[in-house]
Amino acid sequence: MKKHYIYLALSLFFSTSGALAEENGESLIMQLCASCHVLEGKPTIAPPIFAVKIHVKRAYTDRDAFVQRIVDWVEEPDEAITLMPGAVNRFGLMPKLSYKNEDVRKVAEYIYDTDFEVPEWYRKHYKQMHGVEPNH
């Protein structure tokens, strides 16, 4: 499973063009993130985007801090400072990706600003793991 995740990340990296800087967060998330971090449904190789948002926003409620955390994480994932240890245990640590910071920033802003639907199965999972309902 981890090899599959790395393969997908590398293929996305090598298929990324310089034109991405001109795109918006919604199109960038589809090109850079959605093949691993699903926007709907159950995860297969990485936590879903709505789960990432919930966990990061729980620790970084301020928009600028939230965005910077995502940018920093994509630039240098570090298991020692993960906000999602269960996801790291299940899927492995996200590989370091060489995306442009301005593209990742647009993605992070889009994630923060978008109200993703949180499915009932995830609400139950989150409450079981954290003892509270997820806030998004």
Side-chain angles (χ1 to χ4, degrees), residues 9-23:
L10 289 173
S11 10
L12 281 172
F13 170 73
F14 288 114
S15 67
T16 303
S17 73
L20 289 180
E22 301 302 319
E23 302 208 33

Side-chain angles (χ1 to χ4, degrees), residues 69 73 76-83 88 93-94:
R69 170 58 191 227
W73 179 262
E76 193 67 49
D78 182 350
E79 189 170 354
I81 60 167
T82 185
L83 298 174
V88 171
L93 184 66
M94 178 176 162

Side-chain angles (χ1 to χ4, degrees), residues 2-56:
K2 289 180 186 178
K3 288 180 184 179
H4 182 75
Y5 183 71
I6 292 169
Y7 172 76
L8 281 172
L10 289 173
S11 10
L12 281 172
F13 170 73
F14 288 114
S15 67
T16 303
S17 73
L20 289 180
E22 301 302 319
E23 302 208 33
N24 65 33
E26 183 176 14
S27 63
L28 286 167
I29 201 169
M30 296 307 293
Q31 293 177 48
L32 301 177
C33 311
S35 65
C36 295
H37 297 278
V38 296
L39 281 87
E40 297 177 351
K42 291 194 175 187
T44 56
I45 60 172
I49 287 292
F50 56 80
V52 172
K53 178 180 180 174
I54 289 167
H55 284 272
V56 177

Side-chain angles (χ1 to χ4, degrees), residues 40-117:
E40 297 177 351
K42 291 194 175 187
T44 56
I45 60 172
I49 287 292
F50 56 80
V52 172
K53 178 180 180 174
I54 289 167
H55 284 272
V56 177
K57 197 168 182 185
R58 188 169 122 198
Y60 297 88
T61 56
D62 175 74
R63 186 179 191 266
D64 291 338
F66 176 98
V67 168
Q68 192 59 52
R69 170 58 191 227
I70 298 285
V71 170
D72 292 345
W73 179 262
V74 172
E75 187 175 309
E76 193 67 49
D78 182 350
E79 189 170 354
I81 60 167
T82 185
L83 298 174
M84 301 180 75
V88 171
N89 287 337
R90 180 174 177 190
F91 304 112
L93 184 66
M94 178 176 162
K96 183 176 179 175
L97 302 171
S98 298
Y99 296 147
K100 293 181 181 179
N101 279 353
E102 65 253 25
D103 291 340
V104 177
R105 185 167 301 282
K106 288 177 186 178
V107 166
E109 290 168 348
Y110 175 79
I111 292 170
Y112 187 91
D113 295 338
T114 301
D115 289 327
F116 297 102
E117 185 173 331

